[in-house]
Amino acid sequence: MTDIEKLLGDEANTLLGHTCTGFRSEDLYLPGPDFVDRVMSENDRSPHVLRNMQTLFNHGRLAGTGYLSILPVDQGIEHSAGASFAPNPLYFDPKNIVELALEGGCNCVASTLGVLSSVARRYAHKIPMMLKLNHNETLTYPPVFDQTLFAQVEQAHNMGCVAVGATIYFGSEDCRRQIMEISEAFERAHELGMVTVLWAYLRNPDFKKDGKDYHVSSDLTGQAIHLAATIKADIVKQKLAENNGGYKAVGFGHTHDKVYDELTSDNPIDLARYQVANAFMGRAGLINSGGGSKGHSDMGEAVRTAVINKRAGGMGLISGRKSFQKPMKEGIELLNAIQDVYLSKDVTIA
């Protein structure tokens, strides 16, 4: 098992010893083996959706825990194939993307229409697949920040996917169109029995103020999560909060002093707990992003994010570049280290 405390270094006491007081753990809908029966059975999802959610929970090293470890590889479009796969050309072949998820013990592999459709007959029955429906196509110049539908929900269903994923750039010029498109797509996905996962990201140049990036503020990302749950995302992917006070810094919207004085603190777990609270107190599972690859520090950063997510009440981690931009053996080791956090009985809810 991974030496979690050693990887956390100087932050070990801060992260492993913290207790949240703004939102108590007993008031949350926490992940667990019975999450579908205990939480999802109260909503309006069909038995087919519940079955596919349980399918996600039942696969990989985290099977039976209620936590998720997902390998997402849509960067061939989002960041270009060259930027994403040149560090490890093995992954130009979609087969190896799915093999990494399988060998890495993941619950699910999430990727593009092209990647999954090219190997669906070989792997759809071996690992749960999630089709990412839209992408920010990066070949347009000058660059634009928008999400374009590359696939239809029916295509995901026909190739055997158990889930669909999509991104909305909340705060962007095209946000309202994206909300309408994905709301319709998610409703259709639920009709066909698939789980829905939203990448609830922020995109607005004015969310950067005085050298500080509030795209990762707890209050703004929390509201994006709340909007994601509102359009019936079963799982919400969000970047780990790194600061707070985005509303106040940018000077717009609506907030309340209690958000900063009582409900959160500077501790990263409290910032993530506010994200969980905005996911209908955990009724929609929060999975945090593993972030980009930085080399030798990737293992420690991935374990740190997993500890914060788990102790805050989140449902797991979705980690791509940190794993597939390495030799496969090292990528598997990193994925397993993340999973070890969720398997550890010493890492508990704060």
Side-chain angles (χ1 to χ4, degrees):
M1 294 291 283
T2 303
D3 190 337
I4 296 169
E5 191 167 345
K6 181 178 179 180
L7 284 170
L8 293 177
D10 294 340
E11 285 191 291
N13 290 335
T14 300
L15 297 180
L16 295 176
H18 181 71
T19 300
C20 296
T21 57
F23 290 97
R24 303 181 307 164
S25 60
E26 53 264 40
D27 294 330
L28 301 177
Y29 299 92
L30 296 173
D34 61 343
F35 187 83
V36 171
D37 286 335
R38 174 170 45 87
V39 181
M40 291 193 70
S41 62
E42 295 184 1
N43 66 33
D44 68 350
R45 310 307 192 261
S46 72
H48 300 289
V49 176
L50 302 185
R51 179 195 61 206
N52 280 329
M53 187 72 163
Q54 193 64 52
T55 298
L56 289 174
F57 285 139
N58 286 348
H59 193 84
R61 291 184 72 227
L62 297 183
T65 66
Y67 290 106
L68 298 172
S69 169
I70 298 174
L71 176 71
V73 187
D74 60 352
Q75 290 86 349
I77 298 176
E78 296 280 347
H79 300 278
S80 90
S84 301
F85 304 136
N88 195 355
L90 187 74
Y91 293 110
F92 275 101
D93 184 347
K95 175 191 71 174
N96 292 317
I97 292 172
V98 185
E99 286 290 337
L100 175 60
L102 271 170
E103 296 298 320
C106 293
N107 300 73
C108 175
V109 59
S111 197
T112 66
L113 176 65
V115 165
L116 295 182
S117 65
S118 66
V119 293
R121 289 186 182 273
R122 181 172 181 176
Y123 290 107
H125 58 294
K126 295 180 180 179
I127 184 171
M129 299 194 312
M130 178 194 311
L131 176 61
K132 184 74 169 16
L133 297 172
N134 64 357
H135 307 282
N136 180 32
E137 174 272 311
T138 55
L139 202 55
T140 298
Y141 188 82
V144 295
F145 288 102
D146 194 7
Q147 286 286 322
T148 301
L149 287 168
F150 274 61
Q152 302 301 311
V153 174
E154 287 78 8
Q155 290 174 296
H157 181 259
N158 290 339
M159 75 171 75
C161 293
V162 304
V164 297
T167 297
I168 293 177
Y169 283 155
F170 293 103
S172 70
E173 289 185 11
D174 299 295
C175 169
R176 295 192 174 195
R177 191 208 78 242
Q178 293 168 17
I179 290 172
M180 290 187 286
E181 284 180 351
I182 302 309
S183 178
E184 290 181 7
F186 278 8
E187 188 63 23
R188 180 59 178 150
H190 281 150
E191 289 174 356
L192 293 173
M194 290 181 288
V195 175
T196 57
V197 184
L198 190 72
W199 278 239
Y201 285 172
L202 300 175
R203 283 291 187 279
N204 192 308
D206 288 331
F207 288 175
K208 294 182 179 182
K209 291 289 182 181
D210 302 321
K212 200 167 185 178
D213 188 359
Y214 292 101
H215 287 91
V216 288
S217 71
S218 186
D219 55 352
L220 294 184
T221 58
Q223 182 59 22
I225 291 167
H226 196 79
L227 293 173
T230 296
I231 63 170
K232 296 172 65 173
D234 300 310
I235 300 168
V236 184
K237 177 192 176 187
Q238 183 56 271
K239 294 182 179 180
L240 193 67
E242 297 178 13
N243 54 56
N244 210 352
Y247 275 115
K248 293 184 176 182
V250 179
F252 86 115
H254 307 280
T255 188
H256 195 285
D257 287 342
K258 285 183 67 175
V259 171
Y260 316 100
D261 299 339
E262 297 181 24
L263 299 179
T264 64
S265 74
D266 291 335
N267 190 290
I269 297 172
D270 280 330
L271 299 180
R273 175 65 59 87
Y274 188 73
Q275 292 180 324
V276 172
N278 273 279
F280 295 169
M281 297 296 275
R283 288 181 182 270
L286 173 69
I287 54 175
N288 285 121
S289 170
S293 177
K294 298 178 182 177
H296 70 280
S297 65
D298 283 353
M299 182 77 77
E301 289 178 5
V303 166
R304 178 184 184 271
T305 303
V307 167
I308 293 169
N309 173 272
K310 183 180 181 182
R311 299 212 69 222
M315 190 170 278
L317 211 61
I318 185 164
S319 185
R321 282 170 288 169
K322 278 183 167 60
S323 55
F324 73 74
Q325 289 187 334
K326 295 176 172 59
M328 186 173 287
K329 182 177 183 294
E330 294 179 22
I332 291 170
E333 290 173 353
L334 185 137
L335 292 169
N336 288 168
I338 291 169
Q339 294 151 11
D340 286 346
V341 172
Y342 295 97
L343 292 170
S344 173
K345 294 181 180 179
D346 296 326
V347 180
T348 58
I349 301 298

